[in-house]
Amino acid sequence: MSNEMPLRPAPFNPLDKKNLGTSVAEALLAQPIGPLPPTSAFIGAGVYALYYTGEFPHYEAISALNKRKPSSWPIYVGKAVPAGARKGGYGLGDDAGPVTFRRLVEHATSIQSTKNLSVSDFQCRFLVVDDIWIPLAESLLIEMFSPLWNKKIDGFGNHDPGRGRHGQKRSPWDELHPGRPWAEMLQPAHVQKVKETTQEYLARIRSVLFPDLPPDMGNHS
């Protein structure tokens, strides 16, 4: 008989907050994929993921992943919360209204306004969720996929900063995708650094998930 100490695996706790959040994230990924924005309005707060399959040169690797295995790698993950959430209103069960639908329409409008993206190249899936689980599910999904527009190209979800604040620099997303009218009034940033960061990210996910893809796919400077 061995004198080694027995292993002590951590007991599984189905009510652990991470396990609960994971179940919400998995429920989102099980939802059907559809156009952006959805064709029918719906009520509720929740989480969502956007997928890209277009020809924008710097996103070729992501597009290839989603064509090879449909809707497998989101370019962006987000949440839509009730109006009072930022003032501590999570979990109160108030009617959220169509907040998730409106947010997806906003995203579609942002994409349509750019000069180098087409909203027809995007799809989305969404899940209406009880308020209290929304931030946890969003965090886990971002941790799971490290979506490009969440982790490396900031600014997609931004709004007009408002009158008197247009001395700010444009976000990396607006620098890479010019066209939003309010963003055109902001100050320019350095787009080359954004492109370099994007290529490093795409090379990493491609080498891990699909090592058989052509090595030069998505490598644009």
Side-chain angles (χ1 to χ4, degrees), residues 21-35:
T22 299
S23 74
V24 177
E26 290 175 346
L28 169 67
L29 298 177
Q31 298 305 301
I33 196 78

Side-chain angles (χ1 to χ4, degrees), residues 17-60:
K17 65 181 180 181
K18 189 166 185 177
N19 293 331
L20 291 169
T22 299
S23 74
V24 177
E26 290 175 346
L28 169 67
L29 298 177
Q31 298 305 301
I33 196 78
L36 178 72
T39 54
S40 300
F42 59 92
I43 302 293
V47 290
Y48 54 86
L50 309 187
Y51 299 86
Y52 181 69
T53 56
E55 303 299 327
F56 185 68
H58 299 285
Y59 302 158
E60 280 184 2

Side-chain angles (χ1 to χ4, degrees), residues 49-132:
L50 309 187
Y51 299 86
Y52 181 69
T53 56
E55 303 299 327
F56 185 68
H58 299 285
Y59 302 158
E60 280 184 2
I62 288 180
S63 181
L65 299 182
N66 287 324
K67 288 176 179 174
R68 175 172 291 199
K69 186 178 180 183
S71 308
S72 59
W73 198 265
I75 195 169
Y76 185 74
V77 165
K79 68 177 185 294
V81 296
R86 293 185 180 182
K87 297 179 181 178
Y90 282 119
L92 296 180
D94 295 339
D95 184 358
V99 290
T100 307
F101 176 73
R102 282 203 299 255
R103 191 65 171 144
L104 291 170
V105 171
E106 283 180 12
H107 288 329
T109 302
S110 288
I111 291 167
Q112 279 179 316
S113 67
T114 70
K115 300 174 182 175
N116 52 21
L117 295 175
S118 171
V119 75
S120 62
D121 292 328
F122 288 82
Q123 292 183 300
C124 71
R125 53 168 47 107
F126 57 86
L127 179 71
V128 173
V129 184
D130 276 354
D131 310 4
I132 197 168

Side-chain angles (χ1 to χ4, degrees), residues 184-219:
E184 297 294 299
M185 294 185 281
L186 304 180
Q187 304 305 306
H190 297 293
V191 69
Q192 186 58 35
K193 180 62 178 175
V194 177
K195 292 178 178 177
E196 291 171 359
T197 302
T198 300
Q199 294 314 310
E200 291 170 4
Y201 166 89
L202 294 176
R204 189 169 68 252
I205 65 168
R206 182 182 58 236
S207 64
V208 171
L209 296 178
F210 295 90
D212 56 329
L213 282 177
D216 60 343
M217 180 167 284
N219 290 338

